[in-house]
Amino acid sequence: KNLPEDYGAIHKANELNEERFIIVQPTAYYGWHVEKQFNAVLELVDFIVDEYKADSNRVILTGYSLGSLGAWYYAENATEYWAAVVPIANQCTTALNAMYEADFSVWAICGEWDTYENRHGSEKTINKLAERNPCRDVRYTELKGCSHHDMAEAPFTPEFFDWAAAQLRQLTSKDSSHEESFFA
């Protein structure tokens, strides 16, 4: 399913005249945990970095609702890819091990009127991550007056884009430096 450009992160970036990012907004019908799909998404990230000369050290993963479950999953299972991970409007259902040691930022965002499970599950996961690795930027935000459905666009504010632009993954010998950041 292709999302229209007047929806989600792309819409908000256009509305705010935000030009610092390449935003890729794929969708899935049944989830992001399928191995074939997992590999395809990572291949897509590699392709975008190469094709657009994006900075591989500034790749930010975000996901809304079902995509948030995918963001938690990819954060745990492909830690080397991300400068930051932003799960929006869903709790973490992934067993965490690698994320405790990972060095990327995590900002979980839910609406105040989302389900108890989503809000408190996300907050609980962020608290665990902060306890295990207190030197990195992990945060939980609950947006006032927002329901689950509002969260497709509500988090994408000028503050969010400024925070995203400041994210940088730890450099490794295989990494190369380019100019632009992007969302997967």
Side-chain angles (χ1 to χ4, degrees):
K1 176 181 175 184
N2 292 324
L3 293 176
E5 284 191 22
D6 63 348
Y7 181 79
I10 292 173
H11 175 247
K12 292 304 285 187
N14 287 338
E15 187 178 274
L16 296 168
N17 295 314
E18 180 57 64
E19 297 179 350
R20 294 177 285 181
F21 303 93
I22 298 167
I23 301 173
V24 179
Q25 191 168 285
T27 60
Y29 290 110
Y30 303 109
W32 295 98
H33 299 76
V34 179
E35 184 177 348
K36 183 177 178 182
Q37 193 164 343
F38 178 81
N39 293 332
V41 169
L42 297 181
E43 288 173 14
L44 176 62
V45 170
D46 290 337
F47 173 80
I48 297 292
V49 166
D50 290 342
E51 183 72 16
Y52 293 96
K53 308 296 185 254
D55 188 339
S56 62
N57 299 307
R58 295 187 176 277
V59 177
I60 299 166
L61 174 66
T62 185
Y64 157 68
S65 194
L66 183 58
S68 180
L69 293 176
W72 287 115
Y73 180 81
Y74 281 74
E76 174 63 23
N77 292 288
T79 59
E80 70 278 10
Y81 273 82
W82 321 117
V85 176
V86 185
I88 299 169
N90 217 326
Q91 63 185 304
C92 180
T93 60
T94 299
L96 302 180
N97 293 304
M99 274 184 67
Y100 288 134
E101 302 303 320
D103 212 16
F104 52 78
S105 299
V106 182
W107 187 359
I109 306 172
C110 285
E112 111 177 278
W113 298 332
D114 205 332
T115 67
Y116 174 86
E117 292 80 9
N118 286 347
R119 289 180 292 111
H120 292 279
S122 293
E123 187 173 26
K124 182 179 175 183
T125 301
I126 290 298
N127 290 338
K128 283 183 191 176
L129 291 171
E131 286 173 18
R132 288 292 205 55
N133 194 341
C135 295
R136 68 177 172 171
D137 180 9
V138 293
R139 55 178 81 180
Y140 171 76
T141 299
E142 202 168 283
L143 297 180
K144 301 295 180 208
C146 290
S147 70
H148 183 82
H149 299 288
D150 298 324
M151 300 306 291
E153 292 189 355
F156 301 108
T157 64
E159 174 194 10
F160 173 86
F161 285 114
D162 288 344
W163 175 87
Q167 301 308 303
L168 180 64
R169 180 172 56 93
Q170 295 292 338
L171 301 177
T172 65
S173 60
K174 73 175 182 95
D175 296 322
S176 60
S177 183
H178 303 291
E179 291 183 19
E180 290 193 74
S181 300
F182 77 97
F183 295 100

mmCIF file of all heavy atoms in Angstrom, residues 20-53:
data_model
loop_
_atom_site.group_PDB
_atom_site.id
_atom_site.type_symbol
_atom_site.label_atom_id
_atom_site.label_comp_id
_atom_site.label_asym_id
_atom_site.label_seq_id
_atom_site.Cartn_x
_atom_site.Cartn_y
_atom_site.Cartn_z
ATOM 1 N N ARG A 20 15.975 18.840 5.396
ATOM 2 C CA ARG A 20 17.223 18.222 5.867
ATOM 3 C C ARG A 20 17.224 16.709 5.758
ATOM 4 O O ARG A 20 18.238 16.082 6.030
ATOM 5 C CB ARG A 20 17.488 18.599 7.334
ATOM 6 C CG ARG A 20 17.764 20.076 7.545
ATOM 7 C CD ARG A 20 17.942 20.388 9.010
ATOM 8 N NE ARG A 20 16.626 20.380 9.664
ATOM 9 C CZ ARG A 20 16.442 20.642 10.955
ATOM 10 N NH1 ARG A 20 17.471 20.901 11.734
ATOM 11 N NH2 ARG A 20 15.227 20.642 11.472
ATOM 12 N N PHE A 21 16.117 16.098 5.341
ATOM 13 C CA PHE A 21 15.979 14.656 5.419
ATOM 14 C C PHE A 21 15.481 14.043 4.127
ATOM 15 O O PHE A 21 14.753 14.665 3.370
ATOM 16 C CB PHE A 21 14.986 14.274 6.528
ATOM 17 C CG PHE A 21 15.370 14.815 7.868
ATOM 18 C CD1 PHE A 21 14.876 16.037 8.303
ATOM 19 C CD2 PHE A 21 16.227 14.110 8.690
ATOM 20 C CE1 PHE A 21 15.235 16.546 9.537
ATOM 21 C CE2 PHE A 21 16.597 14.613 9.920
ATOM 22 C CZ PHE A 21 16.105 15.829 10.349
ATOM 23 N N ILE A 22 15.865 12.798 3.919
ATOM 24 C CA ILE A 22 15.241 11.936 2.929
ATOM 25 C C ILE A 22 14.300 11.058 3.746
ATOM 26 O O ILE A 22 14.738 10.389 4.682
ATOM 27 C CB ILE A 22 16.288 11.050 2.226
ATOM 28 C CG1 ILE A 22 17.310 11.907 1.478
ATOM 29 C CG2 ILE A 22 15.602 10.053 1.297
ATOM 30 C CD1 ILE A 22 18.531 11.122 1.028
ATOM 31 N N ILE A 23 13.022 11.059 3.443
ATOM 32 C CA ILE A 23 12.062 10.292 4.227
ATOM 33 C C ILE A 23 11.508 9.164 3.367
ATOM 34 O O ILE A 23 10.955 9.402 2.299
ATOM 35 C CB ILE A 23 10.916 11.189 4.754
ATOM 36 C CG1 ILE A 23 11.495 12.313 5.633
ATOM 37 C CG2 ILE A 23 9.896 10.342 5.527
ATOM 38 C CD1 ILE A 23 10.466 13.343 6.072
ATOM 39 N N VAL A 24 11.678 7.952 3.854
ATOM 40 C CA VAL A 24 11.159 6.771 3.187
ATOM 41 C C VAL A 24 10.063 6.228 4.084
ATOM 42 O O VAL A 24 10.279 6.002 5.272
ATOM 43 C CB VAL A 24 12.279 5.717 2.998
ATOM 44 C CG1 VAL A 24 11.737 4.472 2.324
ATOM 45 C CG2 VAL A 24 13.434 6.320 2.201
ATOM 46 N N GLN A 25 8.870 6.030 3.539
ATOM 47 C CA GLN A 25 7.710 5.692 4.358
ATOM 48 C C GLN A 25 7.028 4.429 3.828
ATOM 49 O O GLN A 25 5.954 4.491 3.258
ATOM 50 C CB GLN A 25 6.767 6.904 4.337
ATOM 51 C CG GLN A 25 5.643 6.867 5.321
ATOM 52 C CD GLN A 25 4.972 8.231 5.404
ATOM 53 O OE1 GLN A 25 5.515 9.140 6.001
ATOM 54 N NE2 GLN A 25 3.797 8.359 4.818
ATOM 55 N N PRO A 26 7.658 3.249 4.030
ATOM 56 C CA PRO A 26 7.005 2.014 3.570
ATOM 57 C C PRO A 26 5.873 1.600 4.509
ATOM 58 O O PRO A 26 5.803 2.082 5.634
ATOM 59 C CB PRO A 26 8.142 0.992 3.619
ATOM 60 C CG PRO A 26 9.044 1.500 4.689
ATOM 61 C CD PRO A 26 8.934 3.011 4.657
ATOM 62 N N THR A 27 5.006 0.728 4.030
ATOM 63 C CA THR A 27 3.929 0.202 4.871
ATOM 64 C C THR A 27 3.947 -1.317 4.805
ATOM 65 O O THR A 27 4.490 -1.909 3.879
ATOM 66 C CB THR A 27 2.544 0.703 4.409
ATOM 67 O OG1 THR A 27 2.336 0.272 3.065
ATOM 68 C CG2 THR A 27 2.435 2.198 4.488
ATOM 69 N N ALA A 28 3.344 -1.927 5.817
ATOM 70 C CA ALA A 28 3.202 -3.388 5.851
ATOM 71 C C ALA A 28 1.792 -3.704 6.312
ATOM 72 O O ALA A 28 1.247 -3.010 7.159
ATOM 73 C CB ALA A 28 4.219 -4.004 6.813
ATOM 74 N N TYR A 29 1.224 -4.767 5.774
ATOM 75 C CA TYR A 29 -0.132 -5.142 6.148
ATOM 76 C C TYR A 29 -0.188 -5.984 7.412
ATOM 77 O O TYR A 29 -1.109 -5.888 8.190
ATOM 78 C CB TYR A 29 -0.806 -5.906 5.005
ATOM 79 C CG TYR A 29 -1.109 -5.038 3.820
ATOM 80 C CD1 TYR A 29 -0.408 -5.188 2.634
ATOM 81 C CD2 TYR A 29 -2.086 -4.062 3.900
ATOM 82 C CE1 TYR A 29 -0.690 -4.387 1.540
ATOM 83 C CE2 TYR A 29 -2.371 -3.257 2.807
ATOM 84 C CZ TYR A 29 -1.668 -3.427 1.640
ATOM 85 O OH TYR A 29 -1.946 -2.621 0.569
ATOM 86 N N TYR A 30 0.797 -6.856 7.610
ATOM 87 C CA TYR A 30 0.703 -7.828 8.694
ATOM 88 C C TYR A 30 1.840 -7.752 9.698
ATOM 89 O O TYR A 30 1.887 -8.553 10.606
ATOM 90 C CB TYR A 30 0.629 -9.242 8.125
ATOM 91 C CG TYR A 30 -0.529 -9.405 7.184
ATOM 92 C CD1 TYR A 30 -0.321 -9.539 5.828
ATOM 93 C CD2 TYR A 30 -1.832 -9.383 7.662
ATOM 94 C CE1 TYR A 30 -1.394 -9.670 4.959
ATOM 95 C CE2 TYR A 30 -2.904 -9.505 6.803
ATOM 96 C CZ TYR A 30 -2.683 -9.648 5.448
ATOM 97 O OH TYR A 30 -3.743 -9.771 4.597
ATOM 98 N N GLY A 31 2.760 -6.845 9.542
ATOM 99 C CA GLY A 31 3.851 -6.735 10.497
ATOM 100 C C GLY A 31 5.197 -6.687 9.819
ATOM 101 O O GLY A 31 5.326 -6.877 8.623
ATOM 102 N N TRP A 32 6.204 -6.440 10.631
ATOM 103 C CA TRP A 32 7.565 -6.226 10.140
ATOM 104 C C TRP A 32 8.519 -7.322 10.594
ATOM 105 O O TRP A 32 9.719 -7.209 10.444
ATOM 106 C CB TRP A 32 8.068 -4.873 10.644
ATOM 107 C CG TRP A 32 7.284 -3.749 10.067
ATOM 108 C CD1 TRP A 32 6.246 -3.084 10.651
ATOM 109 C CD2 TRP A 32 7.453 -3.162 8.781
ATOM 110 N NE1 TRP A 32 5.758 -2.121 9.810
ATOM 111 C CE2 TRP A 32 6.494 -2.142 8.647
ATOM 112 C CE3 TRP A 32 8.327 -3.399 7.719
ATOM 113 C CZ2 TRP A 32 6.381 -1.350 7.514
ATOM 114 C CZ3 TRP A 32 8.213 -2.608 6.587
ATOM 115 C CH2 TRP A 32 7.243 -1.604 6.498
ATOM 116 N N HIS A 33 8.016 -8.406 11.140
ATOM 117 C CA HIS A 33 8.867 -9.433 11.739
ATOM 118 C C HIS A 33 9.248 -10.566 10.787
ATOM 119 O O HIS A 33 9.998 -11.441 11.145
ATOM 120 C CB HIS A 33 8.179 -10.037 12.970
ATOM 121 C CG HIS A 33 7.918 -9.023 14.036
ATOM 122 N ND1 HIS A 33 6.896 -8.108 13.951
ATOM 123 C CD2 HIS A 33 8.560 -8.773 15.190
ATOM 124 C CE1 HIS A 33 6.913 -7.342 15.018
ATOM 125 N NE2 HIS A 33 7.908 -7.720 15.791
ATOM 126 N N VAL A 34 8.734 -10.573 9.584
ATOM 127 C CA VAL A 34 9.015 -11.636 8.629
ATOM 128 C C VAL A 34 10.457 -11.485 8.137
ATOM 129 O O VAL A 34 10.872 -10.400 7.742
ATOM 130 C CB VAL A 34 8.037 -11.564 7.434
ATOM 131 C CG1 VAL A 34 8.323 -12.641 6.419
ATOM 132 C CG2 VAL A 34 6.601 -11.619 7.928
ATOM 133 N N GLU A 35 11.235 -12.589 8.157
ATOM 134 C CA GLU A 35 12.658 -12.516 7.809
ATOM 135 C C GLU A 35 12.892 -11.921 6.419
ATOM 136 O O GLU A 35 13.762 -11.075 6.239
ATOM 137 C CB GLU A 35 13.293 -13.895 7.893
ATOM 138 C CG GLU A 35 14.787 -13.850 7.634
ATOM 139 C CD GLU A 35 15.455 -15.202 7.782
ATOM 140 O OE1 GLU A 35 14.828 -16.146 8.295
ATOM 141 O OE2 GLU A 35 16.618 -15.303 7.383
ATOM 142 N N LYS A 36 12.112 -12.349 5.441
ATOM 143 C CA LYS A 36 12.267 -11.832 4.075
ATOM 144 C C LYS A 36 12.046 -10.310 4.055
ATOM 145 O O LYS A 36 12.784 -9.578 3.412
ATOM 146 C CB LYS A 36 11.287 -12.543 3.142
ATOM 147 C CG LYS A 36 11.393 -12.142 1.706
ATOM 148 C CD LYS A 36 10.425 -12.957 0.863
ATOM 149 C CE LYS A 36 10.484 -12.531 -0.584
ATOM 150 N NZ LYS A 36 9.531 -13.255 -1.411
ATOM 151 N N GLN A 37 11.034 -9.861 4.749
ATOM 152 C CA GLN A 37 10.741 -8.433 4.810
ATOM 153 C C GLN A 37 11.836 -7.692 5.576
ATOM 154 O O GLN A 37 12.250 -6.610 5.200
ATOM 155 C CB GLN A 37 9.385 -8.207 5.470
ATOM 156 C CG GLN A 37 8.865 -6.830 5.319
ATOM 157 C CD GLN A 37 7.384 -6.770 5.648
ATOM 158 O OE1 GLN A 37 6.691 -7.770 5.691
ATOM 159 N NE2 GLN A 37 6.906 -5.582 5.876
ATOM 160 N N PHE A 38 12.312 -8.282 6.666
ATOM 161 C CA PHE A 38 13.391 -7.705 7.461
ATOM 162 C C PHE A 38 14.612 -7.442 6.582
ATOM 163 O O PHE A 38 15.151 -6.337 6.555
ATOM 164 C CB PHE A 38 13.740 -8.659 8.617
ATOM 165 C CG PHE A 38 14.869 -8.191 9.480
ATOM 166 C CD1 PHE A 38 14.652 -7.249 10.469
ATOM 167 C CD2 PHE A 38 16.143 -8.714 9.326
ATOM 168 C CE1 PHE A 38 15.691 -6.823 11.282
ATOM 169 C CE2 PHE A 38 17.176 -8.299 10.134
ATOM 170 C CZ PHE A 38 16.955 -7.343 11.115
ATOM 171 N N ASN A 39 15.027 -8.453 5.830
ATOM 172 C CA ASN A 39 16.188 -8.306 4.954
ATOM 173 C C ASN A 39 15.934 -7.272 3.860
ATOM 174 O O ASN A 39 16.833 -6.503 3.517
ATOM 175 C CB ASN A 39 16.572 -9.653 4.349
ATOM 176 C CG ASN A 39 17.091 -10.611 5.402
ATOM 177 O OD1 ASN A 39 17.646 -10.199 6.424
ATOM 178 N ND2 ASN A 39 16.899 -11.898 5.181
ATOM 179 N N ALA A 40 14.727 -7.249 3.318
ATOM 180 C CA ALA A 40 14.399 -6.285 2.262
ATOM 181 C C ALA A 40 14.478 -4.850 2.781
ATOM 182 O O ALA A 40 14.968 -3.954 2.083
ATOM 183 C CB ALA A 40 13.015 -6.578 1.696
ATOM 184 N N VAL A 41 14.020 -4.613 4.012
ATOM 185 C CA VAL A 41 14.079 -3.263 4.572
ATOM 186 C C VAL A 41 15.538 -2.832 4.771
ATOM 187 O O VAL A 41 15.911 -1.707 4.439
ATOM 188 C CB VAL A 41 13.277 -3.157 5.888
ATOM 189 C CG1 VAL A 41 13.556 -1.853 6.606
ATOM 190 C CG2 VAL A 41 11.782 -3.293 5.589
ATOM 191 N N LEU A 42 16.356 -3.722 5.291
ATOM 192 C CA LEU A 42 17.770 -3.365 5.479
ATOM 193 C C LEU A 42 18.465 -3.130 4.138
ATOM 194 O O LEU A 42 19.290 -2.222 4.012
ATOM 195 C CB LEU A 42 18.487 -4.434 6.297
ATOM 196 C CG LEU A 42 17.968 -4.608 7.723
ATOM 197 C CD1 LEU A 42 18.765 -5.674 8.455
ATOM 198 C CD2 LEU A 42 17.954 -3.300 8.496
ATOM 199 N N GLU A 43 18.102 -3.918 3.126
ATOM 200 C CA GLU A 43 18.628 -3.687 1.776
ATOM 201 C C GLU A 43 18.165 -2.336 1.246
ATOM 202 O O GLU A 43 18.933 -1.630 0.575
ATOM 203 C CB GLU A 43 18.210 -4.808 0.838
ATOM 204 C CG GLU A 43 18.927 -6.114 1.101
ATOM 205 C CD GLU A 43 18.382 -7.275 0.279
ATOM 206 O OE1 GLU A 43 17.622 -7.054 -0.702
ATOM 207 O OE2 GLU A 43 18.719 -8.425 0.620
ATOM 208 N N LEU A 44 16.925 -1.959 1.528
ATOM 209 C CA LEU A 44 16.410 -0.654 1.122
ATOM 210 C C LEU A 44 17.202 0.464 1.795
ATOM 211 O O LEU A 44 17.580 1.442 1.145
ATOM 212 C CB LEU A 44 14.923 -0.521 1.451
ATOM 213 C CG LEU A 44 14.292 0.836 1.158
ATOM 214 C CD1 LEU A 44 14.361 1.175 -0.325
ATOM 215 C CD2 LEU A 44 12.846 0.873 1.658
ATOM 216 N N VAL A 45 17.486 0.322 3.075
ATOM 217 C CA VAL A 45 18.288 1.325 3.785
ATOM 218 C C VAL A 45 19.651 1.461 3.115
ATOM 219 O O VAL A 45 20.102 2.574 2.807
ATOM 220 C CB VAL A 45 18.447 0.959 5.288
ATOM 221 C CG1 VAL A 45 19.474 1.861 5.956
ATOM 222 C CG2 VAL A 45 17.109 1.057 6.005
ATOM 223 N N ASP A 46 20.312 0.335 2.850
ATOM 224 C CA ASP A 46 21.618 0.375 2.184
ATOM 225 C C ASP A 46 21.522 1.037 0.815
ATOM 226 O O ASP A 46 22.382 1.842 0.439
ATOM 227 C CB ASP A 46 22.187 -1.040 2.044
ATOM 228 C CG ASP A 46 22.607 -1.640 3.377
ATOM 229 O OD1 ASP A 46 22.883 -0.882 4.340
ATOM 230 O OD2 ASP A 46 22.663 -2.887 3.453
ATOM 231 N N PHE A 47 20.472 0.703 0.059
ATOM 232 C CA PHE A 47 20.287 1.288 -1.270
ATOM 233 C C PHE A 47 20.107 2.805 -1.191
ATOM 234 O O PHE A 47 20.727 3.550 -1.945
ATOM 235 C CB PHE A 47 19.075 0.648 -1.966
ATOM 236 C CG PHE A 47 18.729 1.325 -3.269
ATOM 237 C CD1 PHE A 47 19.441 1.036 -4.416
ATOM 238 C CD2 PHE A 47 17.703 2.258 -3.328
ATOM 239 C CE1 PHE A 47 19.140 1.675 -5.614
ATOM 240 C CE2 PHE A 47 17.393 2.898 -4.521
ATOM 241 C CZ PHE A 47 18.111 2.603 -5.671
ATOM 242 N N ILE A 48 19.254 3.275 -0.279
ATOM 243 C CA ILE A 48 19.009 4.718 -0.149
ATOM 244 C C ILE A 48 20.293 5.440 0.232
ATOM 245 O O ILE A 48 20.619 6.493 -0.331
ATOM 246 C CB ILE A 48 17.903 5.002 0.894
ATOM 247 C CG1 ILE A 48 16.563 4.409 0.454
ATOM 248 C CG2 ILE A 48 17.781 6.489 1.188
ATOM 249 C CD1 ILE A 48 15.932 5.053 -0.757
ATOM 250 N N VAL A 49 21.037 4.894 1.178
ATOM 251 C CA VAL A 49 22.311 5.515 1.588
ATOM 252 C C VAL A 49 23.241 5.632 0.390
ATOM 253 O O VAL A 49 23.822 6.694 0.143
ATOM 254 C CB VAL A 49 22.969 4.713 2.742
ATOM 255 C CG1 VAL A 49 24.416 5.130 2.945
ATOM 256 C CG2 VAL A 49 22.184 4.904 4.030
ATOM 257 N N ASP A 50 23.377 4.550 -0.375
ATOM 258 C CA ASP A 50 24.272 4.569 -1.539
ATOM 259 C C ASP A 50 23.757 5.461 -2.657
ATOM 260 O O ASP A 50 24.491 6.289 -3.199
ATOM 261 C CB ASP A 50 24.477 3.148 -2.077
ATOM 262 C CG ASP A 50 25.299 2.279 -1.135
ATOM 263 O OD1 ASP A 50 25.997 2.827 -0.258
ATOM 264 O OD2 ASP A 50 25.238 1.041 -1.281
ATOM 265 N N GLU A 51 22.496 5.294 -2.996
ATOM 266 C CA GLU A 51 21.912 6.019 -4.142
ATOM 267 C C GLU A 51 21.884 7.530 -3.933
ATOM 268 O O GLU A 51 22.136 8.296 -4.847
ATOM 269 C CB GLU A 51 20.501 5.499 -4.409
ATOM 270 C CG GLU A 51 19.815 6.110 -5.607
ATOM 271 C CD GLU A 51 20.385 5.647 -6.941
ATOM 272 O OE1 GLU A 51 21.106 4.631 -7.003
ATOM 273 O OE2 GLU A 51 20.089 6.321 -7.945
ATOM 274 N N TYR A 52 21.562 7.962 -2.728
ATOM 275 C CA TYR A 52 21.396 9.385 -2.459
ATOM 276 C C TYR A 52 22.568 9.986 -1.693
ATOM 277 O O TYR A 52 22.504 11.134 -1.262
ATOM 278 C CB TYR A 52 20.081 9.633 -1.711
ATOM 279 C CG TYR A 52 18.893 9.319 -2.575
ATOM 280 C CD1 TYR A 52 18.270 8.081 -2.499
ATOM 281 C CD2 TYR A 52 18.422 10.243 -3.500
ATOM 282 C CE1 TYR A 52 17.198 7.777 -3.312
ATOM 283 C CE2 TYR A 52 17.353 9.951 -4.322
ATOM 284 C CZ TYR A 52 16.740 8.706 -4.220
ATOM 285 O OH TYR A 52 15.683 8.412 -5.036
ATOM 286 N N LYS A 53 23.624 9.202 -1.521
ATOM 287 C CA LYS A 53 24.829 9.658 -0.810
ATOM 288 C C LYS A 53 24.468 10.199 0.571
ATOM 289 O O LYS A 53 24.993 11.189 1.036
ATOM 290 C CB LYS A 53 25.579 10.715 -1.617
ATOM 291 C CG LYS A 53 25.892 10.318 -3.050
ATOM 292 C CD LYS A 53 26.831 9.143 -3.107
ATOM 293 C CE LYS A 53 27.246 8.807 -4.518
ATOM 294 N NZ LYS A 53 26.638 7.623 -5.066
#
